Amino acid sequence: VPHPPLRWSDEGDRGPAVVLLDQTRLPTAEVELVCRDPAELIAAIQRLAVRGAPLLGIAGGYGVALAAARGLDIHAAARELAQARPTAVNLATGVARVLAASERQEPAGEEPKRPTSGDPVAALAAARALEAEEAVASAAMAEYGLTLVPDGARILTHCNTGALAVGGTGSAFAVVLAAHRAGRLRQLWVDETRPLLQGARLTAWEAAAHGVPYSVLPDCAAAALMAAGQVDLVLVGADRIAADGSVANKIGTYGLAVSAAHHGVPFVVVAPRTTLDPATPDGAAIVIEQRAATEVTTLAGRPIAPEGCTAFNPAFDVTPPQLITALVTDVGVLQSPGRDGLAGLLGR
Amino acid sequence: VPHPPLRWSDEGDRGPAVVLLDQTRLPTAEVELVCRDPAELIAAIQRLAVRGAPLLGIAGGYGVALAAARGLDIHAAARELAQARPTAVNLATGVARVLAASERQEPAGEEPKRPTSGDPVAALAAARALEAEEAVASAAMAEYGLTLVPDGARILTHCNTGALAVGGTGSAFAVVLAAHRAGRLRQLWVDETRPLLQGARLTAWEAAAHGVPYSVLPDCAAAALMAAGQVDLVLVGADRIAADGSVANKIGTYGLAVSAAHHGVPFVVVAPRTTLDPATPDGAAIVIEQRAATEVTTLAGRPIAPEGCTAFNPAFDVTPPQLITALVTDVGVLQSPGRDGLAGLLGR
């Protein structure tokens, strides 16, 4: 079992801490980063030492628990934690949930004696509950997803969807791991996932740590691998799923889906129900973040393109439901996901 | 006009030389590499300071001319030059052609006085003729290819097919440049082309040098760009074309072709007739070189994947003729290239 991406620590003389596995140092070094107050945790979130929407929610929750344990102003800490990164809704949600649990309840009619400090026991319990729920959702996705994995499967995945991004053992990666443990996985193919290489750096590290047989590949080699009959199933995660079943996920996902359809390879999305966004009607309504050209035009600080080079560098793309064979969630599998099926899933 | 990738020099006190633009230093530095004997040129070929099948043929030819000018054993030099890299047939062809031209013709019945040395004037003339022929072929491809480029075209390309790889201004890139000069090019999209980044490093450098409007993108973002309606035409080169019209080209080409077909974007291959290989019956008969995992698992010498990580890293993939809209050659355009059309082309 690899290092946990995040843990609460009460050890040592220096009091409680949130201990992160510094993801910026992976895969070459496994370095723990000890955050003893919310400010240190915020800095770690901002430099991507911890990342992945669901994992950021858990980290934010523990950040509020840390503020409570330190006797700090929990409202100020929650505000700053929630704003550490703008996009992941899970961060704000996790923070708000632990904040609500840690607000002191005074007897009716009495003013709280220390209105800004929180209940450290309740806060920690709420953060632990959030973490446990994500682990339960991950286990459920693994179980449901396993029903779609054939014997001797060669599975292709993209980006990072394991413990380093999600609670438990992840979303798509949780299914991979379940297949491995069930003796059903012949090979995991890991797209390197340019430009930030979350596949080569993080998914490969998780696969190696769990003894999963794996190889990485340049993203653009996936189609050739499918043509060679070397892929039985594509499993990816999701950042947001619109009401019509369109899936926003890491750039490159859509191209994989097009290729999988061309080769008759099942294309399966694995995501917790919390990723469904009924307020977004369809794929066209999903706003795609455009990221800096330097992510593409430099490597390790060294330019790999001419000076002044611009880049098309969206963080995500959108895969329409017509290209998705099945959606695996923590409450069940939806074949050929569409508007009605998703509405039904949200009603469960 | 950018630096030429290769030129013959007679300047200076130190005698003749083949002067290369060191492609390993691009795009950050434009460094000339002066090769004063075949051994220096062979070393440059082996460390990829000069690359690209047709350009290697020209380099090999000038290498024999250099041996002749230096009074060296031209047969030994030709043997070593031809073996500098194993795959590119053009290298051996170019060397053999200049060697044949430079062998001294003695009057009938007389033994050559210096049997191993060559005729430097004839050798240089043959090398120059080879270079000129490649430039003529490039210009012809540009002219034929231009007939397929619509006004205001946004063209997507992969790998490097310009002067740095081919004679003249290249194959696919020659068409791009012709479109730019004809005022017909709105945008060139350059796939970065993992793992060795020939797009970001070399094609982007050539585009910038010629003032072509361009942007790079991660290879896996090309499908999203097509879905957004931002690509009017895909232009790629070819390393080898089988008798049935299957095209072996840089890894990632096939995935682009699948994506182009899905989006109804014309997919056009540009290659000189010398790339046609009637001895290879079909795509399945094309042997694909598998390259070292370290090309994928390290960047600038730094590991980006776990220790011991393996990789699927083929140098090329094969695109079947069904996915190819047209083949542009130096002797004309073939729509929907197939076995009969290719045979006809070879007969011209």
Side-chain angles (χ1 to χ4, degrees):
Chain A
V1 180
H3 270 293
L6 178 156
R7 65 186 171 86
W8 179 263
S9 166
D10 271 320
E11 305 145 25
D13 322 330
R14 300 182 54 201
V18 175
V19 181
L20 304 174
L21 177 63
D22 187 345
Q23 296 193 26
T24 66
R25 303 290 300 277
L26 292 176
T28 43
E30 296 172 19
V31 177
E32 287 201 329
L33 193 65
V34 182
C35 303
R36 299 202 178 271
D37 60 40
E40 287 179 357
L41 182 58
I42 287 166
I45 289 171
Q46 287 175 338
R47 68 177 194 76
L48 308 186
V50 59
R51 48 155 283 286
L55 191 62
L56 281 177
I58 298 169
Y62 276 111
V64 176
L66 195 56
R70 292 270 170 203
L72 302 172
D73 180 338
I74 53 168
H75 294 92
R79 208 165 40 240
E80 286 158 18
L81 280 161
Q83 292 170 354
R85 278 186 71 196
T87 359
V89 68
N90 308 56
L91 177 57
T93 315
V95 164
R97 181 167 153 181
V98 176
L99 177 65
S102 61
E103 284 174 333
R104 287 176 192 280
Q105 304 300 316
E106 303 294 334
E110 285 186 33
E111 286 294 304
K113 288 183 251 345
R114 298 170 58 211
T116 63
S117 76
D119 177 339
V121 175
L124 184 56
R128 288 204 197 278
L130 177 63
E131 184 179 15
E133 277 171 34
E134 294 284 8
V136 167
S138 169
M141 288 186 279
E143 197 175 324
Y144 286 121
L146 189 56
T147 64
L148 302 179
V149 179
D151 269 334
R154 294 155 302 177
I155 297 176
L156 176 71
T157 193
H158 193 71
C159 199
N160 176 249
T161 60
L164 293 172
V166 189
T169 58
S171 56
F173 190 79
V175 179
V176 169
L177 200 53
H180 174 59
R181 288 171 175 165
R184 240 183 260 180
L185 181 75
R186 193 182 342 169
Q187 171 78 351
L188 176 65
W189 297 111
V190 180
D191 268 5
E192 62 172 352
T193 316
R194 282 282 292 156
L196 297 182
L197 299 167
Q198 293 94 336
R201 293 197 305 109
L202 306 179
T203 300
W205 179 82
E206 293 200 52
H210 287 287
V212 169
Y214 79 100
S215 281
V216 299
L217 60 146
D219 305 320
C220 70
L225 202 55
M226 291 185 198
Q230 295 285 314
V231 181
D232 302 304
L233 177 64
V234 178
L235 288 179
V236 297
D239 281 87
R240 188 189 293 217
I241 303 178
D244 72 337
S246 293
V247 168
N249 192 44
K250 180 60 56 196
I251 186 72
T253 303
Y254 171 62
L256 273 186
V258 168
S259 212
H262 183 81
H263 295 93
V265 174
F267 184 86
V268 173
V269 176
V270 186
R273 207 171 23 158
T274 51
T275 308
L276 303 181
D277 177 13
T280 299
D282 54 28
I286 300 175
V287 178
I288 298 295
E289 176 190 1
Q290 295 288 332
R291 299 191 46 94
T294 50
E295 287 185 354
V296 183
T297 60
T298 64
L299 271 179
R302 206 183 61 136
I304 53 165
E307 214 183 313
C309 177
T310 58
F312 173 66
N313 185 25
F316 309 105
D317 57 27
V318 176
T319 301
Q322 297 78 19
L323 295 176
I324 300 170
T325 311
L327 170 65
V328 172
T329 74
D330 50 324
V331 291
V333 176
L334 201 58
Q335 298 285 346
S336 307
R339 203 173 287 278
D340 293 347
L342 287 172
L345 208 62
L346 282 169
R348 280 190 209 174
Chain B
V1 181
H3 270 293
L6 179 156
R7 63 186 174 85
W8 178 263
S9 165
D10 271 318
E11 305 145 25
D13 322 330
R14 300 184 51 204
V18 176
V19 181
L20 304 174
L21 177 63
D22 187 344
Q23 296 193 27
T24 67
R25 303 290 301 276
L26 293 176
T28 42
E30 295 172 19
V31 177
E32 286 200 331
L33 192 65
V34 182
C35 302
R36 299 201 179 273
D37 61 40
E40 288 180 357
L41 182 59
I42 288 166
I45 289 171
Q46 287 175 338
R47 66 178 195 78
L48 310 186
V50 59
R51 45 155 285 287
L55 190 61
L56 281 176
I58 298 170
Y62 277 111
V64 176
L66 196 55
R70 292 273 169 200
L72 302 173
D73 180 338
I74 53 168
H75 294 92
R79 207 164 40 239
E80 286 158 19
L81 279 161
Q83 292 169 354
R85 279 185 71 196
T87 359
V89 69
N90 308 55
L91 177 57
T93 315
V95 164
R97 180 167 153 181
V98 177
L99 176 65
S102 61
E103 284 173 332
R104 289 177 191 278
Q105 304 298 318
E106 304 293 335
E110 284 187 35
E111 286 293 303
K113 287 182 253 346
R114 298 170 56 211
T116 64
S117 75
D119 177 340
V121 175
L124 184 57
R128 289 204 196 280
L130 177 63
E131 183 179 15
E133 277 172 35
E134 295 284 6
V136 167
S138 169
M141 288 187 277
E143 196 175 324
Y144 286 120
L146 189 57
T147 64
L148 303 179
V149 179
D151 269 335
R154 294 156 302 178
I155 297 176
L156 176 71
T157 192
H158 193 71
C159 201
N160 175 250
T161 60
L164 293 173
V166 189
T169 58
S171 55
F173 190 80
V175 178
V176 169
L177 200 54
H180 173 60
R181 288 171 174 163
R184 239 183 260 182
L185 181 74
R186 193 179 345 166
Q187 171 76 354
L188 176 65
W189 297 111
V190 180
D191 268 3
E192 62 173 353
T193 316
R194 282 284 290 156
L196 296 181
L197 299 165
Q198 293 94 334
R201 293 196 306 109
L202 305 179
T203 301
W205 180 82
E206 292 199 53
H210 288 287
V212 170
Y214 79 100
S215 282
V216 299
L217 61 144
D219 305 319
C220 70
L225 203 56
M226 291 184 198
Q230 296 285 313
V231 180
D232 302 305
L233 177 62
V234 178
L235 288 179
V236 297
D239 281 87
R240 188 189 294 217
I241 302 177
D244 71 339
S246 293
V247 168
N249 192 43
K250 181 58 58 195
I251 185 73
T253 302
Y254 171 63
L256 273 186
V258 168
S259 212
H262 183 82
H263 295 93
V265 173
F267 184 88
V268 173
V269 175
V270 186
R273 208 172 23 159
T274 52
T275 309
L276 302 181
D277 176 12
T280 300
D282 53 31
I286 300 176
V287 178
I288 298 295
E289 177 189 2
Q290 296 288 331
R291 299 192 45 95
T294 49
E295 287 185 356
V296 182
T297 60
T298 64
L299 272 177
R302 205 183 61 137
I304 53 164
E307 214 182 313
C309 178
T310 58
F312 174 68
N313 185 26
F316 309 106
D317 57 27
V318 176
T319 301
Q322 297 78 19
L323 295 176
I324 299 170
T325 311
L327 170 65
V328 173
T329 74
D330 50 323
V331 290
V333 176
L334 200 58
Q335 298 285 346
S336 308
R339 203 172 287 277
D340 293 348
L342 287 173
L345 208 62
L346 281 169
R348 279 190 212 176

